[in-house]
Amino acid sequence: MPQEALLTMIIQAIIVVVVVLSSFAYLTLLERQLIGRFQARRGPNRAGPFGLMQPLADLGKLTFKEDFVPEGANATIFRLSPLICVIAAVATLSVIPFGGVHEIGGHTITLYGADLSVGVLFVFAMSSLGFYGLILGGWASGNKYSLLGAARSAAQLVSYEVAMGLSIVGVVMISQSLSLVDIANDQAAHIWYIVYQPIGFIIFMIAAFAETNRTPFDLGEAESELIAGYNLEYGSVKFAMFFLAEYTNMIIVSALAATLFLGGPDGPFLPGFIWLGIKIAVLLFVFIWVRATVPRLRYDRLMKFGWKVLLPVATANLLLTAVIVGLGFAN
Amino acid sequence: MDLRTWLPILIYLVLGAGVAVALFSLSLIGRKRPNATKALPFESGILTTQPARQRFSIDFYLTAMLFIVFDIELAFLYPLAVVLRDVGVTAVIELVVFTTILVGALTYVWRKGALEWR
């Protein structure tokens, strides 16, 4: 393989990782600012203009905090699980299509990392690997709240994963491909899939809230009963690593929703990656908006909603799509 | 199968490991002053009476079992969904039969009360 191709791949990967990780830092600031505004108060505004240095200040503070392994913890797994979360989150970024293939100064630049024929399944596989970090972290802490939080998160994640998977099947039927690049291109050539799959999009977004452990489905870290859930015993930068993984997953799931339903990088006038950025930003705003608006569910209702409402609706949507697409009513 | 398409994933995995290890080494900077009280499991200041890893609700186990069943069915649906338009009516009939069995299983566990959270 030519060296230049390898080099552009590496540069693309570094740019994507740096951009996403810095958006993670500013996403935490944005969330705190917006939550502040929703609650009729100001968010963090002391570190730099508009609090723009706040993420750096947070990192500095967390770096100099003491990092210790509590008694009764399984030290090796306790130390390793945040690493699993971070690696899985970063690896998922490789299949997100941030744009198409461009020619810049005679060099061919692809704005996506890998065009896998099984892109959708790869995202699922990697996010499941991320759950391992979360569950092992909660188990290894040797704390009752952590263990309960981890068990709850695990049960919630697997329950909503089924509904999420079913909601994507409809998209796959229309696109006839599991590759995220093909799905994005097909939408650019025809029409955004949200037009064909409005119910699928709603199911996907609800499941996305549960998959990323966000309010109203943040039962794994319910402060009022579990203190903080699986990351309770974590301090210092290890806590920040769980945080990084959670927020990166939020960015990934927004990018996935934009790619599967909202046309990915498709849009007029502006370059593709800017359009994708706008769509991701809007979806992230919805995440924060919902957190500020909706109270947390009770755990039994959460499970009931996942299995008795979301799963049947997703199955009905799947059957309807299969009949319409398979019998050739939509061409 | 061209393994070259998987190369970016290797690059991202290495980058992810790099980020993770860099952050991990940052956590070594803070001053270490451990003591017995600090090492206790955090339970709002109340002394822990029993080990943390105890038996907990059977419902978690049931949910895991149900997940495996439905997730495998989901994995079978994906290839069928990809070829649905090419194969046409036959695929739709197969999918309807398959989903009917899935819905039957769901109805069974629902009626059995496996979806109730006690």
Side-chain angles (χ1 to χ4, degrees):
Chain A
M1 127 171 270
Q3 284 220 312
E4 190 190 293
L6 183 67
L7 202 63
T8 48
M9 265 182 200
I10 294 174
I11 292 171
Q12 188 271 353
I14 291 173
I15 291 174
V16 167
V17 170
V18 167
V19 167
V20 170
L21 291 191
S22 36
S23 355
F24 144 72
Y26 281 94
L27 179 60
T28 60
L29 177 67
L30 179 76
E31 171 157 39
R32 290 165 72 184
Q33 291 278 12
L34 284 175
I35 295 270
R37 293 292 168 176
F38 280 124
Q39 296 170 349
R41 62 179 169 83
R42 285 176 193 280
N45 59 358
R46 291 303 146 107
F50 308 107
L52 281 176
M53 304 306 277
Q54 188 66 39
L56 277 178
D58 286 339
L59 181 67
K61 180 192 154 188
L62 283 167
T63 306
F64 292 106
K65 286 284 176 190
E66 181 176 354
D67 174 57
F68 62 94
V69 179
E71 180 191 283
N74 186 325
T76 316
I77 299 178
F78 183 82
R79 289 203 184 94
L80 274 180
S81 50
L83 286 125
I84 300 175
C85 281
V86 171
I87 294 172
V90 172
T92 319
L93 290 173
S94 58
V95 291
I96 306 287
F98 291 94
V101 182
H102 292 263
E103 289 279 342
I104 302 170
H107 302 278
T108 316
I109 312 276
T110 45
L111 287 176
Y112 49 85
D115 178 15
L116 292 190
S117 53
V118 289
V120 176
L121 295 179
F122 181 82
V123 173
F124 272 103
M126 276 297 150
S127 67
S128 307
L129 273 185
F131 302 163
Y132 270 106
L134 187 153
I135 294 159
L136 287 174
W139 177 82
S141 295
N143 183 309
K144 287 169 196 142
Y145 293 121
S146 298
L147 182 61
L148 196 54
R152 275 187 182 185
S153 297
Q156 168 190 333
L157 291 172
V158 298
S159 299
Y160 281 78
E161 178 133 343
V162 178
M164 188 183 234
L166 283 175
S167 71
I168 296 178
V169 174
V171 168
V172 175
M173 282 174 189
I174 304 170
S175 71
Q176 295 179 289
S177 171
L178 283 170
S179 150
L180 288 169
V181 177
D182 287 353
I183 291 175
N185 287 342
D186 191 50
Q187 288 178 86
H190 298 99
I191 192 168
W192 293 4
Y193 289 158
I194 189 172
V195 179
Y196 294 133
Q197 289 286 315
I199 306 168
F201 178 67
I202 293 167
I203 295 168
F204 183 88
M205 281 314 285
I206 294 173
F209 278 86
E211 293 286 299
T212 48
N213 267 320
R214 294 285 301 180
T215 333
F217 303 122
D218 62 342
L219 268 297
E221 44 194 279
E223 293 91 345
S224 46
E225 34 187 316
L226 289 181
I227 313 174
Y230 64 90
N231 55 17
L232 167 60
E233 291 287 357
Y234 283 89
S236 182
V237 183
K238 289 209 193 80
F239 174 75
M241 286 163 85
F242 275 123
F243 225 70
L244 184 148
E246 188 182 324
Y247 279 73
T248 308
N249 282 332
M250 256 169 77
I251 297 174
I252 289 168
V253 93
S254 302
L256 202 58
T259 307
L260 291 174
F261 295 98
L262 302 177
D266 180 40
F269 310 123
L270 295 171
F273 59 92
I274 294 182
W275 269 111
L276 188 69
I278 292 171
K279 287 166 191 170
I280 293 174
V282 169
L283 290 170
L284 287 174
F285 177 76
V286 173
F287 270 95
I288 298 167
W289 189 8
V290 167
R291 177 179 166 189
T293 313
V294 185
R296 186 178 295 132
L297 261 75
R298 211 171 68 196
Y299 196 70
D300 60 330
R301 293 203 180 158
L302 168 91
M303 299 305 275
K304 200 191 252 179
F305 183 70
W307 287 102
K308 293 187 178 175
V309 179
L310 230 43
L311 185 56
V313 172
T315 313
N317 181 48
L318 164 84
L319 279 176
L320 191 68
T321 316
V323 170
I324 293 173
V325 173
L327 300 185
F329 293 123
N331 280 312
Chain B
M1 172 82 212
D2 189 4
L3 277 178
R4 201 179 289 173
T5 44
W6 291 81
L7 191 63
I9 289 169
L10 186 67
I11 297 171
Y12 273 84
L13 275 172
V14 171
L15 270 180
V19 171
V21 170
L23 284 171
F24 184 81
S25 50
L26 274 186
S27 73
L28 304 174
I29 291 178
R31 187 157 45 163
K32 306 276 183 290
R33 277 186 302 188
N35 64 44
T37 320
K38 214 182 264 176
L40 285 177
F42 179 71
E43 286 191 17
S44 312
I46 301 165
L47 282 181
T48 316
T49 50
Q50 282 166 323
R53 286 160 203 150
Q54 296 174 9
R55 296 201 280 179
F56 53 85
S57 173
I58 185 81
D59 290 324
F60 288 112
Y61 175 74
L62 260 180
T63 309
M65 296 284 286
L66 288 176
F67 165 68
I68 291 171
V69 173
F70 282 97
D71 210 40
I72 290 173
E73 288 179 323
L74 191 60
F76 282 129
L77 277 176
Y78 274 103
L80 190 54
V82 173
V83 298
L84 189 85
R85 224 192 268 186
D86 294 336
V87 180
V89 183
T90 325
V92 174
I93 294 169
E94 280 175 2
L95 189 129
V96 169
V97 171
F98 186 73
T99 318
T100 313
I101 299 169
L102 193 150
V103 171
L106 182 67
T107 319
Y108 177 75
V109 291
W110 193 327
R111 293 288 298 271
K112 274 282 180 186
L115 302 181
E116 303 297 327
W117 198 267
R118 286 167 291 270

